[in-house]
Amino acid sequence: MRPVKTRHFLQLVLLSALWGASFLFIRIASPVLGPNVMAALRIGLATLTLMGIMRVANEPWPWRHWRELFGLGTLTVALPFLLYAWAALHLPAGYSSLLNTMAVPFGVIAAAWMKEDTLSTRKWLGCLCGFAGVALIVQLGPVEPTPALLMAAAACVAASACYGVSTTWMKRATTRMSPLSIAAGIHAAALVLLLPGAAWSLPEARFTPGALTAVAVMGIVTSGLAYWLNLRVLKHVSPVAAMSSAFMIPLFGVAWGHVFLGEALGPGMVWGGALVLVATGLVTGFNPLRWLAAVRPGRS
């Protein structure tokens, strides 16, 4: 695997910053709107956003790939969004973001099985560093292992597995369709799948300003625009490298909580953040020292 270029690494960091806020927003919106309605609204706004961009860019819809888009939409949007929305009713955001990192080992195995990447000691070491770093960052305290909490944790692992095993499929799809058309197509397909459940749950939803604002940010920014950016990056990097952003998501999630909610930062943020950066470098192959050497002026 070739090392990730600097611009792609920075884009992965940006994606982590955007997705790091999602777990907080889900915890705000899901208990108020309900998982079905929240997931459908989020996906609907993402679809409208991407449709508008496609219209401006004069991008055609990939109708002949509709079966593939429905499959990808199920695994990468519909199921994960719904599972995380349901888990947020019972599980703190820190636990959800920690379990989200399980996408990386699932993705490492899937990419090797599909011959898109290779297993290596470096990547597994990166996974271990990532798990340790995330645990230090979120500083998870003891919780009562109730049946509901265990089911919510299982839902998060299942959602992470969906992300992990489908990333290689998404990588291959970028050779047949543009990133923009894939992003729009999978969200439109996922919306069709979730609309019946959302309609059934609609009478129980409470449309508060806070919940609607959270859904608007998730739909337009962290789903629509971020998925488009993610697919643009995925076109140029390996599936495993693209998933490495999962390790940085809790880092930004805790940082946003400090900035916007005044939550305290402990020493685990520093050491955990350092481990996460090491893990990301091991998984992606990105070496900042190599980049600095490349841009340093040569000697006369």
Side-chain angles (χ1 to χ4, degrees):
M1 181 189 74
R2 290 182 297 176
V4 172
K5 294 182 178 179
T6 302
R7 69 174 185 273
H8 297 140
F9 182 83
L10 294 176
Q11 288 170 344
L12 288 173
V13 175
L14 175 59
L15 284 169
S16 304
L18 294 175
W19 286 334
S22 293
F23 291 101
L24 295 175
F25 290 137
I26 291 171
R27 283 284 289 175
I28 293 171
S30 188
V32 180
L33 296 170
N36 292 333
V37 174
M38 193 215 75
L41 282 176
R42 178 183 179 183
I43 294 169
L45 286 171
T47 303
L48 290 175
T49 300
L50 293 165
M51 285 175 61
I53 297 173
M54 288 186 71
R55 185 175 181 84
V56 171
N58 198 27
E59 181 93 25
W61 282 84
W63 296 114
R64 63 194 184 96
H65 297 288
W66 68 270
R67 290 184 180 85
E68 184 174 16
L69 291 172
F70 262 91
L72 285 170
T74 301
L75 281 178
T76 64
V77 180
L79 280 176
F81 284 15
L82 190 58
L83 288 169
Y84 277 124
W86 179 81
L89 299 178
H90 309 281
L91 202 64
Y95 285 82
S96 297
S97 63
L98 173 59
L99 292 170
N100 181 66
T101 62
M102 289 298 296
V104 182
F106 278 115
V108 168
I109 295 170
W113 182 65
M114 297 178 71
K115 310 298 184 184
E116 287 288 341
D117 212 329
T118 56
L119 294 174
S120 68
T121 303
R122 189 193 74 222
K123 289 171 187 171
W124 286 117
L125 180 60
C127 289
L128 291 175
C129 288
F131 293 145
V134 169
L136 285 173
I137 289 167
V138 298
Q139 296 183 8
L140 303 180
V143 295
E144 184 182 355
T146 63
L149 187 139
L150 294 176
M151 287 295 293
C156 289
V157 173
S160 301
C162 288
Y163 283 139
V165 301
S166 62
T167 300
T168 300
W169 188 7
M170 290 271 277
K171 168 75 174 179
R172 293 183 175 180
T174 61
T175 64
R176 297 183 288 274
M177 296 172 274
S178 72
L180 179 56
S181 63
I182 296 173
I186 61 177
H187 280 88
L191 182 60
V192 171
L193 294 170
L194 294 190
L195 273 179
W200 179 71
S201 303
L202 189 61
E204 302 172 4
R206 292 179 288 123
F207 295 91
T208 65
L212 291 176
T213 300
V215 171
V217 174
M218 285 191 291
I220 297 170
V221 181
T222 69
S223 295
L225 298 178
Y227 261 70
W228 179 25
L229 175 59
N230 181 54
L231 281 157
R232 288 167 62 93
V233 175
L234 184 59
K235 190 176 179 69
H236 301 284
V237 303
S238 73
V240 175
M243 283 181 292
S244 66
S245 61
F247 289 136
M248 294 184 281
I249 288 174
L251 173 65
F252 282 102
V254 173
W256 294 147
H258 172 70
V259 173
F260 294 107
L261 302 177
E263 297 176 351
L265 294 180
M269 181 69 170
V270 177
W271 297 109
L275 277 174
V276 162
L277 293 178
V278 170
T280 307
L282 288 170
V283 173
T284 63
F286 176 76
N287 186 343
L289 297 178
R290 187 187 298 116
W291 174 73
L292 289 172
V295 300
R296 183 182 301 163
R299 296 179 181 177
S300 55

